[in-house]
Amino acid sequence: TWTTVLDTNQDNAVIILEKNVPVTYVAEPEEGYVFVGWSGACTGKGDCVIIPTKDGERFELYARFAKKVEAPKNLRKTK
């Protein structure tokens, strides 16, 4: 099993995959960013696990990050 960590500085990753060997992708945002989710071979916000069905199989996978936005301090919560 391989684990690859993608962060906000990485545009893409190229990894040669072996048949039936699971690869887990983990998105770790840098300070000031949040992980928005996966697109391509995986969807959602959890870790992405890909199990190729043939050697050298290619997948497109995108980790989406967004700049964290803090709420202004003068906002009040209303009922």
Side-chain angles (χ1 to χ4, degrees):
T1 302
W2 291 84
T3 299
T4 301
V5 176
L6 301 177
D7 62 35
T8 49
N9 286 328
Q10 199 168 356
D11 290 333
N12 58 40
V14 177
I15 298 171
I16 305 300
L17 302 178
E18 294 179 45
K19 180 180 178 180
N20 298 322
V21 176
V23 179
T24 302
Y25 292 89
V26 179
E28 292 185 355
E30 292 186 350
E31 188 174 329
Y33 288 83
V34 294
F35 176 57
V36 177
W38 299 107
S39 61
C42 289
T43 59
K45 291 186 174 185
D47 293 351
C48 168
V49 179
I50 295 176
I51 304 172
T53 57
K54 60 185 176 185
D55 284 339
E57 189 168 1
R58 297 183 70 137
F59 296 91
E60 288 192 23
L61 177 63
Y62 303 93
R64 298 183 323 258
F65 298 92
K67 197 160 186 82
K68 188 183 291 186
V69 178
E70 299 292 331
K73 294 180 180 178
N74 61 349
L75 287 182
R76 290 183 297 132
K77 191 174 185 177
T78 60
K79 294 182 182 180

